[in-house]
Amino acid sequence: MKDFRYVGKPITRIDGREKVSGAAIYTDDIDFGPNLLYAEIVSSPLPHARILSIDTAAAEQVEGVVKVFTGRDFPFKFGLYMKDRYIFAQDKVRFVGEQVAAVVARSQQIAKEAAALVKVEYEELPAVLDQMTAVCDECTLVHPELGDYPHVPWFFPKPGTNIAHWRKTRRGDLEQGFAEADHILEENYEVPRYAHCAIETHVAIGKFDHSGRLTVWSSSQSPHTQRHLFAEALAPMGLTHKDIRVIAPHVGGGFGGKAGVTMEIIPAALATKLRGYAVKLRWTREQEFVNTYQRLGVVAKIKLGVKKDGTITALDHKIYWDAGAYVEYGANVVNAVGLSAIGPYRIPNLSIDSICIYTNLPPGGAYRGFGYSEMLFGLESHMTTIAKQIGMDEIEFRRKNAILEGDKTAYGAAMNPNGLIEAIDKVVEAIDWHKDYQNTDPRKAIGKGFAIFWKAPAMPPNASSSAFLKFNEDASINLIISGMDIGQGYQTVMAQIAAEILGVNPAKIRVETPDTDRNPYEWQTVASHITWGSGNAVKRAAIDAREQILDLVERVHHLSRDSLYLEDEAVKCHTQPSFNLPLKSFVVDGIPTEDGSYRGGPINGRGMFMPEFSSATGDPETSQGGHPNVHYTVGAGALILEIDRDTGKMKVLKAAEAIDAGKAINPDLVKGQITGGLLQGLATILYEDMRYDEKGRLLNANFTDYKIPTSLEVPEEIIPIIVEVPQPDGPFGARGIGEHTMLPAAPMIANAVEDALGIRIRSMPITAEKVILTLLQKGKQDA
Amino acid sequence: MSGGFEYYQPRQLSEVLSLLERYQDKARILAGGTDLAVYIKEGIEHPEAVIDIKRCAGLKGLDVSEQGVYIGAQTTFSELVAHPAVRMDYALLWDCAHSVASVGIRNRATLVGNICSAVPSLDAAPALLCHDAVVHTVSASGSRDICIHDWFRAPRQTARQADELVLGVSFPKPAVRFSGIYLKLGRYRGEDLAQAGLGILYTQQREYRLAFCAVGPIPTRARRIEQLIKGKTIDAELLSQARALVAEEVSPITDIRSSREYRLHICEVMLQRGIQAVLERYDGKPIHAATVLGG
Amino acid sequence: MAKLTLYVNKELRSVEVEPRETLLDVLRDKLGLKTPKCGCDRGDCGACAVLIDGKSVRSCLVFAIECEGQQITTLEGISGDKLTDLQEAFIELNSFQCGFCTPGVIITATELLEHNPHPSREEIQEALSGNLCRCTGYTPIIEAILAHTTKEGK
């Protein structure tokens, strides 16, 4: 493989100094002066109710309160893939925590006290708090008007039910496939909801100035999409995109939770009725838990048929999603998995039903992995189980059935080049899988767990990225793009791509957080697609700049274009080694000629990337045809787990994870995603445990009782492995990996628990408590 | 305005006491504030006055001597953890102090504050109960010494009168050689409130003192089990009998942190492993309390 | 309202506060220090960590008024005119991702190294256990502190 100067190197991040010095500005750090107003939300205490009345009189009387707003002020709908959501609840509330009114005041304290004085009268309605109840006949409808909601053409809602979308994927002959099987396994798996727990909560400030211009500062993964949704939602107020500007400062963690639009629309809307003021809304940690996106809950029914030689013949995979009260984003999670729930396997006869079900719980939405973690928990648990049942080594089973380049995906497209086999082999080697991990302590049991994974970006077919690039007088570069560095290192990776093309060190390339007025369009920083999408746009912008430079030098210095190249901030020539024209001498000023006139001028590059082969139009009944996913990223993982037999407490002794990055633009950052993602994945299976009561209230909406890992939870050893089978249409062969690193964690643990203790637990989380209670229960049954 | 209070920073004990006499149960003493700040911010408590005793002169601090241990009202958990004699000679106390939250909390939170907040899961209790500590209070009308076994009345309720300040808590140094350990059930190794806690003190006379926390409305000594195993050699049969008594000694509940069944089970495991660990410590073997339960 | 006088990053500051205002809110909203962050407002996450007279505390659980005359140190004070060697180690080893927990982590690490210049891996993990990081998985942070102390030892 070609060795590059900057690409493929583990360089230090270009945002390091800013973040480590404390200079980095996050949304709540911005000062807006004495005219900043503060909003406090009045939220629903009930999961499902009609709003009979809202009495704001007492709240309005409080000194320092500027105004009190309710749904009547903003009867507008919005939504990314489906318009089912409101800025404030209208006639009904649909989950505990839903915003019903807002008090805007001169201080947060005043707003909070006044909000407590707002009196809302409710008429309680029956609530549906789980998807299996919500999907049955004669059930309370969360959205009786579902039939009227505009949505993207690839969603299939069932009006008159709580089914907001039903993705069906069918290929081959399922009945025949099961008939050919020598062994069939049918099991159900349950995965609850999870919270992102970014350390920075959602926060946004809206300002509507006297010229009628709305600016929103928000902690966001998606400034352009936010602007678009604001424009759509606020169109009835006469606003269009031209009038709306979104500025996205540094983000203190996203994980999908800051994609799309959730609470940000509130201060945006409030501002439009408070001309001249800035209005801030910042979620408390409790609000962050209950009123932002949550990861959807899953009940999965898997029926798998295999031959005795391990060949998979058929898969029937039904997934019922608890998608919450509004599914404008969550329905696409359901869709994405509905197209991919075969996992990274070659399966000739398949049926997938992925059903998005409304419930009276917080809205489900994008969460790192976009449904694949939930799906793979069941599927990879199932694969290990069936391999053992037919007496086959589970690694061999996976190798045998692994999807290869050219094999058909679930919807009939050809699988992209991928290093799945290589990933499996490297993990097996790194973890020393075949070693007999016996231990000397009789109190502990040791188990091994393995899983493979895949994921494709779930995006509309026209998700695009753009880039502007400009040089400064010192040959430094400003890369003007709208992807968000949410921690993954995006800014650095883009700088490395531009650096490689232009011969300028990444340390001299500035990539900063975007402003939708200045920075060209980027769909969203989600889906693990921006290394690929934005990377392609940046590469094109850099090439555009390079072409301008080389054209200019050829024109002025009469050197053949083909002989020129860029290196060390200069234009050099293969055929004339002495030629060295520093970029800084002309990238702004132009090249002076003998007669005193100049040629060229400021070099500004432009690039754009939008896939033109992606299409969401498959057959609604089978999903065949179309090309909804641009490509898949694959990987494998294994871990060695120690379990205390008496307490159930688990410790990951060693974990290895391999991911096929195509080309790791910055290997250190890929490793960072493996370490961080793996721990986040382990947290979902070992510690995080959302508890709702029978009235749909989240009981542990804080870090005291929703446990995310501390530094003491780090596995003893994590071995990150980068596989590189190039993505043909990726920049330098790169494809995305950010979400994927979480995916194998849960099934690895489930498989390791079974290996260690002989118990198969099919629901998450698998806490120490659950292990012991399962063992005790089994003990009673065996007795 | 609600949530507002008068803040006092008295420099003399007499000021503290006269403020308490004046405000009675409408005042709260502020030392570390790690509990009180949360209660006030979340509207659980609405004191009219907050009396910050951190600058009060003349309050005795942490004293570890041949007489025993005195923990003053201003003594933070960090001070306890950092004190070499506590670490070396009072392992049970040290374990309890060290298990509280994290450094940033321990630098402020006081042991006296912990026993005044008196949440059922409080980590300080097992050490104090096993050492038969005494709580020293004072008010404008006099002072009291209250046995720790009479201190805890109900969840978040103690024997403290509204006008009393707790000056400190003390216990004597055991006359014989001893070892101790505190085992705490959390959901992981990081910061957590105890879902079950067991402190064990073992003396040269083969006497065991056992105190549970977080598995009943108040922390208590497990006297039945103490009686059973006193003076005896610990063998599998005895441990089995002891474990069988656990259900009589504790009354755990099911809440969002843990279930009754698991808590009960862990109490039995803690008893068995705790006894083993405390015997090993007695023999000089280094045992890290945080790893006894695995994970 | 009461007048509070205290030292913030060695500078004498004077500000009017209500007793119930936390040190975190006063630092951020009234004194212009933005590096202590609000992550949970309950002392669970460590993002608000600052030093009071050299000891790390959860500034969301301290009422500002308690700090009369005390020395408060925030990351701005540690960064000063020149970043510390510890901070350079963080930068060099990419020991951060979104950066939101970083101020609190550096505050905690600074305190740790003050009284334990050569901590073991486990001691570092223990000291950091009150600082939640959702992005990095902690390993690069621990590595930076270890690398820094190794360098110091040379």
Side-chain angles (χ1 to χ4, degrees):
Chain A
M1 200 169 284
K2 185 183 168 184
D3 194 35
F4 299 104
R5 185 83 187 272
Y6 303 109
V7 161
K9 303 286 183 256
I11 66 163
T12 57
R13 289 173 61 141
I14 62 173
D15 56 349
R17 199 151 296 271
E18 206 184 343
K19 286 176 174 167
V20 175
S21 69
I25 301 288
Y26 300 82
T27 304
D28 191 53
D29 297 338
I30 304 172
D31 284 318
F32 286 86
N35 248 358
L36 175 66
L37 302 178
Y38 299 82
E40 183 79 26
I41 296 300
V42 177
S43 63
S44 168
L46 299 169
H48 197 198
R50 220 180 306 275
I51 300 174
L52 297 176
S53 68
I54 306 177
D55 182 355
T56 60
E60 284 163 21
Q61 299 307 314
V62 175
E63 192 186 327
V65 168
V66 173
K67 207 148 179 213
V68 182
F69 297 91
T70 70
R72 259 201 213 107
D73 297 295
F74 307 102
F76 315 134
K77 291 228 296 286
F78 73 96
L80 184 59
Y81 293 101
M82 169 130 78
K83 299 216 182 316
D84 69 349
R85 205 162 175 182
Y86 295 97
I87 299 174
F88 287 95
Q90 297 294 301
D91 56 329
K92 277 189 199 164
V93 288
R94 294 183 169 86
F95 67 96
V96 175
E98 182 171 10
Q99 63 273 25
V100 170
V103 173
V104 181
R106 285 279 173 196
S107 81
Q108 197 70 57
Q109 183 63 34
I110 295 170
K112 195 170 164 188
E113 283 170 18
L117 300 175
V118 174
K119 296 195 242 319
V120 187
E121 241 189 285
Y122 297 99
E123 178 198 327
E124 213 173 333
L125 297 169
V128 283
L129 298 177
D130 77 273
Q131 64 270 50
M132 303 317 288
T133 307
V135 83
C136 62
D137 296 332
E138 307 304 320
C139 194
T140 305
L141 293 182
V142 181
H143 287 266
E145 298 91 38
L146 176 58
D148 298 334
Y149 296 166
H151 56 83
V152 292
W154 69 86
F155 279 6
F156 310 109
K158 311 288 173 220
T161 73
N162 283 318
I163 296 174
H165 174 42
W166 189 330
R167 166 58 63 185
K168 297 178 189 173
T169 302
R170 312 262 188 273
R171 199 154 59 74
D173 183 337
L174 197 68
E175 205 180 304
Q176 177 61 27
F178 281 121
E180 284 169 11
D182 296 314
H183 184 80
I184 295 173
L185 176 65
E186 255 186 283
E187 292 290 357
N188 295 353
Y189 300 88
E190 280 180 43
V191 181
R193 289 161 161 260
Y194 286 93
H196 306 76
C197 299
I199 307 301
E200 181 204 28
T201 63
H202 280 65
V203 52
I205 300 108
K207 181 172 178 177
F208 196 55
D209 69 21
H210 286 97
S211 75
R213 197 314 186 227
L214 175 64
T215 306
V216 181
W217 290 259
S218 69
S219 176
S220 168
Q221 295 174 228
S222 316
H224 279 274
T225 286
Q226 286 205 335
R227 184 178 71 161
H228 180 64
L229 287 174
F230 294 157
E232 285 198 321
L234 300 174
M237 306 191 63
L239 292 170
T240 74
H241 298 73
K242 165 183 88 51
D243 308 306
I244 304 173
R245 176 185 183 195
V246 175
I247 299 175
H250 281 290
V251 181
F255 311 105
K258 291 175 181 162
V261 166
T262 55
M263 59 81 86
E264 303 88 346
I265 198 152
I266 300 173
L270 295 176
T272 62
K273 304 241 174 169
L274 291 161
R275 205 175 271 245
Y277 293 99
V279 183
K280 182 192 292 204
L281 182 63
R282 190 187 83 193
W283 262 185
T284 63
R285 179 53 60 183
E286 186 182 348
Q287 287 168 322
E288 184 72 17
F289 271 102
V290 305
N291 196 353
T292 57
Y293 293 126
Q294 289 183 357
R295 202 175 94 167
L296 288 71
V298 153
V299 169
K301 298 178 193 253
I302 302 181
K303 181 178 173 186
L304 186 71
V306 299
K307 292 205 173 111
K308 48 177 176 276
D309 71 353
T311 311
I312 297 173
T313 62
L315 169 67
D316 185 359
H317 200 165
K318 292 184 174 34
I319 312 176
Y320 302 83
W321 299 81
D322 159 19
Y326 301 97
V327 304
E328 42 91 25
Y329 209 145
N332 206 39
V333 172
V334 177
N335 194 68
V337 172
L339 295 168
S340 307
I342 56 169
Y345 294 98
R346 181 176 48 255
I347 301 184
N349 306 294
L350 61 101
S351 172
I352 304 171
D353 289 281
S354 191
I355 306 167
C356 178
I357 301 162
Y358 279 122
T359 58
N360 291 113
L361 289 170
Y367 178 117
R368 190 177 195 174
F370 216 65
Y372 285 69
S373 284
E374 302 86 296
M375 181 270 287
L376 286 164
F377 169 70
L379 194 67
E380 282 302 282
S381 296
H382 209 80
M383 294 298 180
T384 292
T385 304
I386 210 170
K388 289 192 173 156
Q389 286 179 349
I390 62 172
M392 187 171 183
D393 174 74
E394 66 175 300
I395 308 294
E396 285 318 302
F397 177 81
R398 288 186 170 89
R399 291 177 98 260
K400 188 183 184 72
N401 291 291
I403 192 164
L404 304 173
E405 182 181 351
D407 284 338
K408 284 195 157 64
T409 62
Y411 46 85
M415 179 63 184
N416 49 282
N418 70 86
L420 183 54
I421 300 290
E422 190 183 337
I424 292 171
D425 291 344
K426 286 193 163 151
V427 164
V428 164
E429 195 189 321
I431 202 90
D432 215 351
W433 178 261
H434 297 292
K435 174 174 150 183
D436 187 13
Y437 276 96
Q438 275 321 301
N439 76 111
T440 47
D441 186 347
R443 297 198 304 201
K444 311 263 199 260
I446 307 268
K448 298 189 284 199
F450 200 94
I452 59 177
F453 58 90
W454 77 343
K455 181 186 181 286
M459 315 187 285
N462 61 346
S464 61
S465 307
S466 340
F468 293 151
L469 183 155
K470 73 175 179 71
F471 274 94
N472 302 304
E473 289 88 326
D474 60 350
S476 68
I477 291 170
N478 289 98
L479 198 44
I480 304 162
I481 45 185
S482 295
M484 295 305 299
D485 198 318
I486 55 176
Q488 80 285 56
Y490 162 76
Q491 291 174 343
T492 302
V493 168
M494 295 301 111
Q496 286 176 261
I497 290 173
E500 193 65 46
I501 302 294
L502 292 166
V504 174
N505 194 300
K508 276 187 84 163
I509 301 181
R510 264 200 193 282
V511 186
E512 295 184 310
T513 56
D515 170 339
T516 58
D517 258 19
R518 317 266 191 272
N519 299 50
Y521 186 84
E522 170 65 57
W523 174 61
Q524 298 197 76
T525 297
V526 295
S528 307
H529 89 284
I530 55 169
T531 293
W532 179 74
S534 187
N536 274 330
V538 166
K539 192 174 176 202
R540 288 176 180 181
I543 289 171
D544 183 34
R546 185 185 67 191
E547 297 309 290
Q548 292 173 46
I549 290 168
L550 299 184
D551 281 349
L552 177 63
V553 172
E554 179 182 58
R555 181 156 68 95
V556 173
H557 288 278
H558 310 294
L559 291 164
S560 159
R561 174 59 180 290
D562 296 336
S563 68
L564 296 171
Y565 65 100
L566 295 174
E567 187 181 73
D568 292 329
E569 298 177 34
V571 182
K572 296 181 182 173
C573 181
H574 290 299
T575 52
Q576 256 194 55
S578 61
F579 184 80
N580 184 317
L581 185 64
L583 291 177
K584 69 180 176 204
S585 69
F586 70 91
V587 282
V588 171
D589 292 340
I591 303 180
T593 67
E594 278 165 13
D595 70 1
S597 63
Y598 286 77
R599 303 286 176 270
I603 304 292
N604 299 315
R606 178 189 76 170
M608 187 278 293
F609 176 77
M610 187 189 83
E612 291 188 346
F613 60 88
S614 178
S615 154
T617 51
D619 184 317
E621 289 303 311
T622 65
S623 298
Q624 301 304 305
H627 198 311
N629 293 327
V630 294
H631 55 253
Y632 283 87
T633 298
V634 300
L639 53 77
I640 312 297
L641 186 67
E642 178 190 87
I643 312 180
D644 188 303
R645 292 180 191 277
D646 296 318
T647 65
K649 283 183 171 290
M650 290 169 273
K651 183 156 76 169
V652 175
L653 298 178
K654 195 168 166 184
E657 184 175 310
I659 188 146
D660 180 2
K663 172 70 182 173
I665 308 283
N666 188 320
D668 196 46
L669 301 188
V670 174
K671 288 174 184 171
Q673 290 306 296
I674 291 175
T675 309
L678 195 59
L679 193 61
Q680 190 173 6
L682 289 171
T684 62
I685 184 98
L686 295 173
Y687 314 124
E688 295 179 35
D689 193 357
M690 278 195 151
R691 301 292 182 99
Y692 283 93
D693 71 8
E694 74 290 345
K695 295 285 256 188
R697 276 183 301 240
L698 181 58
L699 297 170
N700 54 338
N702 54 56
F703 289 137
T704 304
D705 286 315
Y706 186 90
K707 307 305 278 183
I708 68 173
T710 73
S711 52
L712 289 167
E713 274 60 62
V714 180
E716 284 189 6
E717 192 185 349
I718 297 178
I719 305 165
I721 300 162
I722 298 174
V723 170
E724 291 180 319
V725 173
Q727 179 60 34
D729 58 3
F732 301 99
R735 67 174 82 77
I737 56 95
E739 295 168 274
H740 308 67
T741 56
M742 247 189 99
L743 300 176
M748 288 198 288
I749 292 286
N751 290 337
V753 167
E754 188 190 48
D755 188 44
L757 298 173
I759 51 174
R760 170 57 69 179
I761 297 176
R762 294 188 192 88
S763 66
M764 285 174 69
I766 299 181
T767 56
E769 175 169 347
K770 194 180 268 188
V771 167
I772 291 303
L773 293 181
T774 306
L775 283 173
L776 291 175
Q777 183 66 25
K778 181 164 180 271
K780 284 191 204 130
Q781 283 169 352
D782 291 347
Chain B
M1 251 183 209
S2 66
F5 50 83
E6 287 296 319
Y7 170 84
Y8 298 96
Q9 206 181 69
R11 303 292 162 140
Q12 302 294 330
L13 180 58
S14 53
E15 284 175 62
V16 177
L17 299 184
S18 83
L19 283 165
L20 282 170
E21 191 180 27
R22 175 173 147 205
Y23 281 99
Q24 298 285 322
D25 66 356
K26 304 230 187 325
R28 290 287 178 276
I29 299 290
L30 172 68
T34 54
D35 280 341
L36 186 61
V38 178
Y39 297 152
I40 290 175
K41 280 159 61 160
E42 298 197 343
I44 298 165
E45 300 223 9
H46 319 91
E48 281 178 22
V50 166
I51 306 166
D52 184 350
I53 58 163
K54 289 195 287 297
R55 314 279 178 125
C56 182
L59 294 185
K60 193 170 163 197
L62 175 62
D63 184 69
V64 182
S65 69
E66 278 310 300
Q67 275 59 60
V69 177
Y70 182 94
I71 301 157
Q74 295 159 333
T75 305
T76 64
F77 283 110
S78 279
E79 283 177 69
L80 284 163
V81 166
H83 197 294
V86 172
R87 179 147 207 185
M88 198 140 55
D89 299 332
Y90 294 93
L92 165 54
L93 176 64
W94 191 90
D95 283 343
C96 286
H98 188 251
S99 76
V100 172
S102 59
V103 173
I105 297 287
R106 294 197 293 268
N107 282 342
R108 297 288 279 192
T110 61
L111 182 142
V112 167
N114 193 237
I115 67 168
C116 287
S117 292
V119 295
S121 58
L122 83 163
D123 295 306
L128 300 178
L129 289 168
C130 286
H131 281 286
D132 295 322
V134 174
V135 182
H136 309 283
T137 69
V138 66
S139 72
S141 39
S143 60
R144 296 199 291 157
D145 287 339
I146 304 159
C147 176
I148 193 75
H149 303 294
D150 299 323
W151 178 251
F152 301 103
R153 293 287 167 84
R156 300 192 55 216
Q157 279 177 51
T158 68
R160 188 185 78 87
Q161 306 282 0
D163 63 345
E164 279 183 310
L165 171 72
V166 176
L167 285 171
V169 58
S170 69
F171 56 84
K173 182 168 184 172
V176 293
R177 192 166 150 228
F178 66 99
S179 66
I181 196 164
Y182 173 57
L183 300 180
K184 175 175 175 174
L185 173 66
R187 282 159 288 192
Y188 56 17
R189 296 240 357 239
E191 187 168 338
D192 202 0
L193 299 168
Q195 284 101 66
L198 173 62
I200 306 180
L201 201 63
Y202 170 74
T203 75
Q204 194 176 43
Q205 296 151 334
R206 290 220 238 169
E207 185 197 349
Y208 296 84
R209 300 195 209 155
L210 308 158
F212 283 101
C213 67
V215 284
I218 59 172
T220 54
R221 289 271 292 272
R223 303 220 188 249
R224 269 163 287 216
I225 301 177
E226 289 177 9
Q227 196 57 32
L228 172 74
I229 63 180
K230 181 174 175 168
K232 295 187 183 142
T233 310
I234 304 291
D235 60 20
E237 169 63 26
L238 190 62
L239 277 173
S240 180
Q241 288 173 23
R243 280 178 70 136
L245 283 178
V246 168
E248 291 177 37
E249 300 278 32
V250 299
S251 51
I253 59 168
T254 294
D255 64 16
I256 57 171
R257 294 183 191 134
S258 189
S259 68
R260 192 188 154 275
E261 291 78 19
Y262 184 62
R263 283 173 150 135
L264 198 54
H265 174 84
I266 292 296
C267 283
E268 294 177 22
V269 175
M270 287 201 291
L271 177 68
Q272 180 154 341
R273 293 199 184 170
I275 289 173
Q276 182 182 0
V278 92
L279 289 171
E280 286 178 346
R281 273 188 173 176
Y282 189 87
D283 288 339
K285 189 170 171 195
I287 303 280
H288 191 18
T291 58
V292 171
L293 296 177
Chain C
M1 279 286 203
K3 182 167 164 222
L4 170 69
T5 303
L6 73 179
Y7 293 88
V8 181
N9 299 323
K10 301 201 173 119
E11 191 189 341
L12 186 64
R13 304 289 300 264
S14 226
V15 64
E16 296 272 310
V17 300
E18 300 265 11
R20 65 157 151 232
E21 288 181 85
T22 63
L23 179 62
L24 177 64
D25 288 341
V26 170
L27 285 170
R28 287 180 60 80
D29 299 337
K30 293 188 172 174
L31 293 171
L33 285 312
K34 301 295 183 181
T35 63
K37 310 289 187 200
C38 183
C40 72
D41 221 15
R42 279 170 59 104
D44 289 327
C45 74
C48 68
V50 300
L51 300 177
I52 298 182
D53 293 340
K55 294 197 176 65
S56 73
V57 303
R58 303 284 172 262
S59 63
C60 72
L61 297 184
V62 175
F63 299 110
I65 202 166
E66 294 175 60
C67 304
E68 178 71 31
Q70 291 188 296
Q71 295 276 354
I72 314 296
T73 308
T74 69
L75 184 61
E76 286 94 335
I78 290 174
S79 297
D81 287 332
K82 186 169 174 288
L83 300 190
T84 63
D85 289 342
L86 176 66
Q87 286 172 293
E88 294 293 349
F90 269 66
I91 293 168
E92 201 183 310
L93 295 179
N94 292 330
S95 301
F96 63 92
Q97 286 190 23
C98 80
F100 199 75
C101 77
T102 305
V105 164
I106 293 178
I107 292 284
T108 300
T110 300
E111 181 198 28
L112 169 69
L113 296 173
E114 223 14 69
H115 61 259
N116 187 353
H118 301 284
S120 65
R121 181 177 291 268
E122 165 124 353
E123 283 169 329
I124 294 170
Q125 285 175 274
E126 285 240 356
L128 289 176
S129 66
N131 290 88
L132 295 179
C133 173
R134 194 56 156 165
C135 296
T136 66
Y138 302 99
T139 303
I141 295 173
I142 298 164
E143 294 300 327
I145 297 170
L146 280 172
H148 164 71
T149 57
T150 315
K151 199 173 143 198
E152 288 275 287
K154 282 197 172 127

